[in-house]
Amino acid sequence: QVQLVESGGGLVQAGGSLRLSCAASGRTFSNYAMAWFRQSPGRLREFVGHISQTGITTRYADSAKGRFTISRDNAKNTLYLQMNSLQPEDTARYYCAASPTVGGAYPYWGQGTQVTVSA
């Protein structure tokens, strides 16, 4: 089992920035590919991006490219999502997830952290 706890969400004005964190515990963090997803009311959960176990490989949804950066610190068992140039359409609950393989199913999820971007 991998336990994941997100933090860093909040209210920000359009054009602002936030950095989300995801603290992992339980199993060896560096064994897992990690991803960020988001979901807003009435919409399906949306993939934001993922990062490989070593942090060398990342992939982003088109909506995140150029604005969001995923990184990880395996020594601190922590995943990050740096979000810049935030827009109201980025308002959602953001979740981190862990998978044994990059791009595979994600069996482990955190409880999410709310990000609200005001116009």
Side-chain angles (χ1 to χ4, degrees), residues 1-3 25-27 32 107-108:
Q1 286 281 352
V2 177
Q3 290 79 45
S25 61
R27 295 281 182 92
Y32 292 86
Y108 305 110

Side-chain angles (χ1 to χ4, degrees), residues 15-112:
S17 299
L18 279 176
R19 188 176 82 155
L20 306 184
S21 299
C22 171
S25 61
R27 295 281 182 92
T28 303
F29 179 65
S30 58
N31 287 346
Y32 292 86
M34 300 295 297
W36 288 97
F37 292 81
R38 66 186 184 184
Q39 188 169 21
S40 53
R43 300 187 65 178
L44 296 175
R45 187 168 57 198
E46 176 186 14
F47 171 79
V48 174
H50 71 208
I51 187 167
S52 62
Q53 288 87 335
T54 60
I56 292 175
T57 302
T58 56
R59 184 170 72 88
Y60 298 92
D62 287 344
S63 59
K65 287 179 182 176
R67 299 188 302 129
F68 294 3
T69 302
I70 296 175
S71 61
R72 64 190 297 163
D73 186 336
N74 285 345
K76 294 183 178 180
N77 295 339
T78 304
L79 172 74
Y80 302 100
L81 178 64
Q82 177 67 44
M83 304 186 292
N84 299 327
S85 301
L86 284 162
Q87 299 302 315
E89 53 265 35
D90 296 314
T91 295
R93 192 163 185 85
Y94 284 71
Y95 299 87
C96 64
S99 172
T101 57
V102 176
Y106 289 91
Y108 305 110
W109 293 80
Q111 82 291 348

